[in-house]
Amino acid sequence: MSRIPESDYVQLNDGLTLHYQEAGMGDAVLFIHGSGPGASGYSNFKGNYPVFAEAGYRAIVPDLPGYGLSDKPDTEYTLDFFVDAMLGLLGKLSISKVTLVGNSLGGAIAIKMALDHPELVEKLILMAPGGLMPKEQYYQQMEGIQKMGAAFAAGELVEPANMKRLLGLQLFDESQITDDIVNERVAIVLEQPACVLSTMQVSVLTDRLSELQCPILGFWGMNDKFCPVSGVQTMMERCSNIRFNMLSECGHWVMVEHAKLFNRECVDFLKD
């Protein structure tokens, strides 16, 4: 079974060990992945971070705690828990300024980091970020969230066929879900404790969005089944210095489904 490639590890001050990929030299860009079962930084961003590195940036792609090859403690997976882990990673890597790239849960983590540590975050790149409505509303409104939670809780995602069906909900074009992607995720799911998703709590950040001070570039697929596209209007109304790309024939993974456009727009944004 395919596994994500093993790269570098760092132990944080609280004893938590994180795994991460790194490529390139220059200004730092931290890629923060989403919360899907079996997710990892590499799985989410393997078609993106090498392009950033080639463009002259230091691309850092961690596995969040509970995901990838990072530690998976039996604890509560709150937004602050993830934020503290990312801050700890940046500290260990001696990074004092960074651009954050986050999708879904990773977008919520990036927003919270920028709100709480504006001196650290130079720019934000967000793809269908979470944290814009209560958890219950996501489950009530979004087919992908409903099916993901039920399949993980039932232990169905250890079977590649079931994982492939779930991942197909992430994209408009399901044919882009390769066997390698499926197998990478199944290998991680086999090691994930139930608490990774069952205890996850993401604060609603909407009322604080006006506090964001850095430039923001956003992406959202019109066919997203996990985070409602109404989030675009929420962010555009409340944030300054922001622009969004809304894509037709696109699901939750803009950076996968439209990688060339995503990479080009992001590199141009970083160079502005």
Side-chain angles (χ1 to χ4, degrees):
M1 180 172 289
S2 302
R3 289 182 62 90
I4 63 174
E6 189 171 6
S7 189
D8 298 316
Y9 290 88
V10 62
Q11 187 174 53
L12 307 185
N13 291 339
D14 61 4
L16 191 69
T17 297
L18 297 183
H19 173 258
Y20 66 99
Q21 316 282 342
E22 182 172 351
M25 299 177 63
D27 293 341
V29 181
L30 181 70
F31 293 76
I32 312 175
H33 66 78
S35 67
S40 67
Y42 180 80
S43 179
N44 272 203
F45 297 116
K46 60 187 172 184
N48 314 117
Y49 79 88
V51 177
F52 285 64
E54 291 170 6
Y57 296 93
R58 181 185 180 187
I60 302 158
V61 190
D63 297 335
L64 291 170
Y67 294 87
L69 302 182
S70 291
D71 280 352
K72 301 171 181 64
D74 184 1
T75 188
E76 291 189 1
Y77 285 78
T78 65
L79 185 58
D80 285 339
F81 173 67
F82 291 121
V83 168
D84 288 345
M86 293 299 95
L87 293 173
L89 173 64
L90 293 176
K92 288 292 184 178
L93 299 179
S94 300
I95 294 171
S96 58
K97 283 285 188 181
V98 67
T99 290
L100 302 178
V101 180
N103 75 288
S104 198
L105 168 65
I109 295 168
I111 291 171
K112 188 65 158 55
M113 290 173 69
L115 287 169
D116 292 350
H117 299 275
E119 75 288 348
L120 174 66
V121 180
E122 290 194 292
K123 293 183 178 182
L124 280 176
I125 298 173
L126 305 171
M127 300 87 79
L132 301 182
M133 63 174 62
K135 179 179 179 179
E136 295 74 21
Q137 290 189 30
Y138 285 107
Y139 274 92
Q140 290 167 6
Q141 295 184 23
M142 307 309 294
E143 174 191 1
I145 294 285
Q146 295 166 5
K147 292 184 175 179
M148 178 182 73
F152 183 73
E156 298 174 356
L157 299 180
V158 298
E159 296 294 335
N162 294 334
M163 176 65 79
K164 189 166 188 174
R165 280 194 292 273
L166 176 68
L167 294 180
L169 297 172
Q170 302 273 9
L171 303 180
F172 178 81
D173 179 9
E174 298 180 15
S175 69
Q176 293 191 42
I177 301 296
T178 65
D179 288 342
D180 280 346
I181 292 174
V182 171
N183 291 332
E184 286 168 5
R185 292 214 163 211
V186 169
I188 302 302
V189 161
L190 289 169
E191 303 172 351
Q192 282 186 300
C195 61
V196 173
L197 288 183
S198 66
T199 68
M200 187 173 295
Q201 295 295 327
V202 178
S203 308
V204 179
L205 303 170
T206 305
D207 289 344
R208 294 191 62 195
L209 291 176
S210 61
E211 300 174 32
L212 291 171
Q213 300 175 15
C214 60
I216 304 169
L217 174 64
F219 298 84
W220 218 301
M222 292 297 295
N223 307 99
D224 195 323
K225 295 179 180 177
F226 288 80
C227 291
V229 72
S230 60
V232 173
Q233 185 168 349
T234 297
M235 295 207 65
M236 293 294 289
E237 288 177 347
R238 294 172 182 264
C239 299
S240 59
N241 202 357
I242 181 173
R243 69 176 188 262
F244 253 94
N245 292 283
M246 299 176 67
L247 288 79
S248 63
E249 295 84 44
C250 181
H252 193 49
W253 285 350
V254 175
M255 70 287 185
V256 172
E257 207 157 11
H258 296 279
K260 288 184 179 179
L261 180 148
F262 174 82
N263 294 337
R264 181 178 65 249
E265 291 287 324
C266 289
V267 170
D268 287 347
F269 175 65
L270 291 178
K271 292 184 181 298
D272 280 348

